[in-house]
Amino acid sequence: LVSCVIKLTDRKRVSNSDSITGGGYMGKKYRILIIDDSEETVDGLKTFFSEKYEVSTAHNGLDGIKEFDKSDGCLDLVITDLVMPEISGVGVISVIKMKSPKLPVIAITGWGEHPSALARDAQADLVLNKPFELKDLDRHVEELLARKS
């Protein structure tokens, strides 16, 4: 925990080009958490983002909150599905924003407007409807991380 606190207080961007390649702070990769009950979605997003970021995953909302808690505040961004077993993505977003209000959260859903409205109410920074293009998600991740640093 102490080393994490030091990292968080000493965070700085290495250069503008690093944000394009998933740079991070102090030469470290940004850390993102992906939560989705679809194993295919989790595996695909993890494969896509692992070259640029340090990625942890969870397959339901409860495990997602456990991963978030385990990170001791060292996550840089969360991507969560909205409709999942155990705890919904809206519940996940609410817990994360209560504990870490500045942590960017992207909500993804294939269930239309109702979950999207709930995600916005829970203070998700962005809501994307499935299916989406990976390049669009990647651009949004980079933008949110750039704002954070």
Side-chain angles (χ1 to χ4, degrees):
L1 182 61
V2 173
S3 64
C4 181
V5 172
I6 292 169
K7 286 180 189 175
L8 289 173
T9 57
D10 290 343
R11 233 180 240 198
K12 63 181 180 182
R13 301 251 349 126
V14 177
S15 74
N16 286 340
S17 63
D18 284 340
S19 67
I20 294 169
T21 60
Y25 52 92
M26 297 175 56
K28 304 285 184 185
K29 287 185 174 183
Y30 282 116
R31 294 181 61 191
I32 64 173
L33 170 61
I34 298 168
I35 310 165
D36 198 304
D37 60 323
S38 163
E39 202 167 312
E40 183 178 282
T41 299
V42 169
D43 291 346
L45 291 177
K46 182 175 183 177
T47 299
F48 180 78
F49 284 116
S50 287
E51 289 184 29
K52 293 168 61 171
Y53 307 110
E54 185 178 322
V55 178
S56 55
T57 62
H59 290 95
N60 63 60
L62 181 59
D63 288 344
I65 290 172
K66 288 177 183 177
E67 281 294 318
F68 169 78
D69 287 340
K70 230 172 39 174
S71 76
D72 289 326
C74 289
L75 287 173
D76 296 295
L77 184 131
V78 174
I79 299 170
T80 184
D81 188 18
L82 290 178
V83 180
M84 297 182 289
E86 307 293 331
I87 297 175
S88 73
V90 173
V92 169
I93 296 165
S94 297
V95 168
I96 288 172
K97 288 296 188 173
M98 182 178 64
K99 293 180 177 184
S100 210
K102 293 184 180 182
L103 181 66
V105 177
I106 297 174
I108 56 177
T109 184
W111 287 88
E113 187 55 38
H114 182 66
S116 297
L118 292 173
R120 283 189 289 277
D121 289 346
Q123 301 179 347
D125 295 274
L126 177 70
V127 179
L128 287 178
N129 289 313
K130 294 177 186 177
F132 51 80
E133 296 289 328
L134 285 174
K135 65 180 176 159
D136 293 332
L137 177 59
D138 189 34
R139 179 176 45 84
H140 290 300
V141 166
E142 288 178 0
E143 288 170 356
L144 288 168
L145 290 172
R147 272 193 243 159
K148 188 174 190 271
S149 55

